[in-house]
Amino acid sequence: MATLTSTAPHARAQAVPPAAAPHAANPYDPRYDPLVSPAGRNQQYAPTYWVGTAGDPPPDDGPVLQDMDADVVVIGSGFTGLVTALNLAEEHGVMPIVLEANQESWGCTSRNGGQGQNASGRLYRTQWIERWGLETAKRLDREIHDGFDYWKSLVERFPCDAQPGGHLYTAHRPKKMAFLENLCRVMREQFGYDTRMLSREELWERYAMDREAAGAMYEPEGVGIHPLKLAFGYLRRLRELGVKIHTGSPVLGWETVGGVHHLRTPGGVVRARRVAVATGGYTPQGLHPLLDNKIMPILSNSMVTRPLTQQERDAAGLKSTTFITDTRTLRFYYRLLPDGSMQIGSRSALTGADAENPRHLELLKQGLARKFPALKDVPIAYSWWGWVDVSHDMMPRITQPDAGQRIYYAIGYGGNGVSFSAQAGRRLAERVVGKAGPQWDLPIYNSPLNGHLFAPFRRLGQAMFYKYYYLRDEVF
C-alpha cells in the first residue's frame, strides 16, 4: 500500500522509532505517487499503527556507497523481496543483495491490513472456474492453499501477534447473500473447504454486531497478523545469514551489458547476473521496460482507533478477533487488534496529490459508524494510506517475462498479498535459480502481465474504475 498520516498528536513520533533512521533518513512524503514521483530515497516510515507498535527495526547495511558485484539482486524489501531472499539463502545457497529505496519494508508491507487469507489476487474461486475451467481452478487452488500453509509456517516461526480464527465475508446488502451462498457452495463442493453461511443473527451472536451486514460466509482459513513484526522477523534472519540489505538505495538507472545488469543507485552501481523485482504497488515507471504499465496503482486508506474499553466492545458487539471483509468491490476490511484497537480500511484517493484530503479519512469514519454505531465517536489514533498493485486481469504474476533476459518479477496481488507474498517469494526464488516444477504452467506463472489498457492514460482508467463502482452504489 502507500503513504499515510496519523491523526493522533503522539502517533507520528511513535511511528518513527529512533533506530529506524540511522542513515539520516529524509522526511516522509505523504503525496508519493508511483506514476509521477521519482524513486524514493531513504524516506522515513509512514506513521502507521504497525510502525508505531513494531519496536525498533533490525539493523541494515545502509545505502550502497560503492560499485559492487552480485550473483542475484532483489529489488524491494517488502514481504515478497524478503521471502525471496530468505529462500535463495536457506534453500538454494544463493546470497543475494537486497536493494531498498527507503527504509526496510517501507511500502506495502508496513501499510496493509494484516489479513492473511487463503487467496491470491482479487478473483474468487468461482471466477477462476469461469476463466480457466474447473480442472485448472482446482490446481490453482492447491497451489494457493500450499502457499497459505507455507505462510502459516513462517508466522509460527517469526512471532507477529497472530490472531487465528478464520475470515468472514459479510453481505453489505441483502442482495449479496445469494452471491455468498453460491460462493460458499462452490468452496465446499468443488474445493472441499469447510465454509458455512451465517445469518445476521448468528453473525451478531458469535462475532460482531455489524449493523450493515445481512449475513456472512465464514471460512476457517484466515489469520490476522502484525505485518511489520513478521517482516522484521524475516530481516533478522537474513542478517543472521549474512544477506546484505541496502536501504536508501533506489535503482535510478538500469542498463544491461553483455548479460550483466548494471543497477545504478545514488551511491554506486550494483552489477548482477540475475535480478528479481518485488516492488509491488511501489513499482516506479521507468525502472525497466519489462515493468512499465504492468499494474494500475490504487490507493487504499486505513485507520486504527485508540484501544477500546470493554464497555465499548460490548456496546459494539465485538466478540471475536476474526477479521472481516465486506462484499463491496471497493471493500471495507476491519478487525479487532490484540490491544483492543479497531482497524478499518477501504479505498482512498485517486492520486498521491489528493491523498491527504480529509474526505478519505471521513469515508472510513463513516464506514465504521455505519457498521458499529457505538464506535462513532471513538478517537482515531492512526490514519494512513498505501498503494495497491492491481493487474489488468486482477491476478498476480510470478514469472520471467522474457526468456532472453534474466529478469524476474512477482507483482499484481491486488490487495491480497499479506499471505500469498510468501508463496510468491518462494516461487520467485525458484524462478531465479531455474528450478523446474509442474506449477509453472498455471496462469499466474506461465505468462507475463500485459500492459494496462489505459497505459499512458491510467489516471483516466482509475477515475473510470472508481466512477463505475460509485454508480453501482458499491461504496455506500
Side-chain angles (χ1 to χ4, degrees):
M1 303 176 93
T3 343
L4 56 152
T5 94
S6 169
T7 58
H10 61 283
R12 188 174 297 275
Q14 284 185 334
V16 187
H23 308 294
N26 294 315
Y28 164 70
D29 178 9
R31 296 189 173 195
Y32 172 83
D33 187 323
L35 289 187
V36 296
S37 299
R41 189 173 299 184
N42 208 30
Q43 287 187 39
Q44 294 175 353
Y45 285 107
T48 72
Y49 172 86
W50 313 120
V51 173
T53 58
D56 290 349
D60 58 63
D61 294 284
V64 171
L65 297 178
Q66 61 184 12
D67 292 357
M68 60 181 68
D69 297 295
D71 182 9
V72 177
V73 162
V74 176
I75 302 177
S77 70
F79 280 148
T80 304
L82 296 179
V83 177
T84 301
L86 192 64
N87 274 265
L88 285 170
E90 288 190 336
E91 302 299 325
H92 306 294
V94 175
M95 297 294 284
I97 288 176
V98 179
L99 298 180
E100 165 60 50
N102 297 290
Q103 306 299 306
E104 301 164 324
S105 302
W106 179 86
C108 307
T109 296
S110 60
R111 309 180 195 219
N112 58 71
Q115 296 187 356
Q117 299 183 40
N118 178 28
S120 173
R122 293 188 65 85
L123 299 185
Y124 298 101
R125 281 164 173 78
T126 50
Q127 293 170 301
W128 296 358
I129 295 172
E130 293 172 2
R131 181 171 293 185
W132 298 298
L134 182 58
E135 181 182 351
T136 297
K138 285 186 173 182
R139 289 188 59 227
L140 183 57
D141 170 71
R142 289 193 293 271
E143 172 69 9
I144 302 305
H145 197 181
D146 175 68
F148 186 71
D149 287 340
Y150 172 61
W151 174 75
K152 287 193 295 184
S153 74
L154 294 174
V155 168
E156 292 177 359
R157 181 179 172 187
F158 302 103
C160 54
D161 299 344
Q163 293 175 297
H167 173 230
L168 289 162
Y169 275 122
T170 58
H172 76 287
R173 295 184 182 279
K175 67 180 182 180
K176 287 292 186 179
M177 286 295 285
F179 161 75
L180 287 178
E181 288 165 356
N182 179 63
L183 179 61
C184 183
R185 179 185 59 80
V186 172
M187 293 284 285
R188 291 181 67 88
E189 296 178 2
Q190 301 296 344
F191 298 100
Y193 290 109
D194 187 23
T195 52
R196 58 185 183 272
M197 292 299 297
L198 303 174
S199 67
R200 187 187 201 199
E201 292 71 27
E202 290 171 317
L203 175 68
W204 283 22
E205 179 182 352
R206 300 179 193 176
Y207 296 98
M209 199 177 295
D210 185 337
R211 299 299 180 90
E212 278 195 316
M217 183 189 84
Y218 173 77
E219 54 180 349
E221 294 281 27
V223 182
I225 63 161
H226 191 304
L228 200 53
K229 287 185 178 181
L230 179 60
F232 284 177
Y234 295 161
L235 284 158
R236 292 186 184 97
R237 176 55 182 157
L238 288 170
R239 295 284 295 177
E240 291 173 359
L241 293 167
V243 173
K244 298 296 184 183
I245 301 162
H246 290 284
T247 55
S249 300
V251 176
L252 304 178
W254 185 331
E255 183 182 9
T256 304
V257 181
V260 176
H261 304 289
H262 293 234
L263 308 175
R264 179 172 56 83
T265 76
V269 174
V270 182
R271 295 175 291 266
R273 294 196 306 117
R274 294 170 285 181
V275 178
V277 181
T279 45
Y282 293 80
T283 305
Q285 287 289 90
L287 178 61
H288 191 279
L290 291 176
L291 288 151
D292 282 349
N293 300 315
K294 293 300 183 288
I295 61 168
M296 179 185 288
I298 299 289
L299 270 177
S300 181
N301 225 27
S302 193
M303 74 179 193
V304 174
T305 69
R306 59 114 167 99
L308 305 177
T309 65
Q310 187 60 53
Q311 184 178 12
E312 288 167 336
R313 292 194 217 180
D314 292 343
L318 296 172
K319 302 174 182 178
S320 170
T321 58
T322 295
F323 61 80
I324 307 172
T325 310
D326 71 20
T327 46
R328 290 174 171 87
T329 302
L330 302 176
R331 18 185 117 137
F332 282 87
Y333 49 93
Y334 39 110
R335 65 175 171 129
L336 191 65
L337 298 171
D339 67 357
S341 301
M342 190 70 180
Q343 184 268 342
I344 185 169
S346 186
R347 64 89 181 165
S348 184
L350 180 61
T351 67
D354 187 48
E356 295 178 290
N357 193 313
R359 65 183 178 183
H360 306 304
L361 176 58
E362 190 61 31
L363 177 87
L364 295 183
K365 291 179 178 179
Q366 292 174 7
L368 184 64
R370 288 196 309 271
K371 294 176 182 299
F372 305 103
L375 305 182
K376 180 177 183 294
D377 297 319
V378 173
I380 306 305
Y382 293 87
S383 169
W384 70 91
W385 48 91
W387 293 99
V388 177
D389 50 334
V390 179
S391 70
H392 71 284
D393 64 356
M394 303 296 175
M395 291 296 285
R397 293 297 191 284
I398 302 88
T399 191
Q400 180 182 8
D402 181 348
Q405 302 186 60
R406 288 179 293 188
I407 299 170
Y408 315 81
Y409 62 63
I411 53 175
Y413 305 150
N416 250 329
V418 170
S419 56
F420 180 70
S421 57
Q423 185 76 339
R426 179 162 69 162
R427 296 305 191 204
L428 187 59
E430 292 173 351
R431 284 284 197 195
V432 169
V433 300
K435 183 176 179 179
Q439 70 274 4
W440 298 135
D441 66 350
L442 285 169
I444 59 175
Y445 300 126
N446 68 2
S447 64
L449 284 173
N450 291 330
H452 255 284
L453 295 176
F454 296 102
F457 308 104
R458 278 190 291 177
R459 290 299 184 214
L460 173 63
Q462 289 167 319
M464 292 177 66
F465 178 82
Y466 281 136
K467 184 177 180 181
Y468 174 69
Y469 290 117
Y470 291 162
L471 291 176
R472 291 180 61 196
D473 201 22
E474 288 285 356
V475 175
F476 297 102

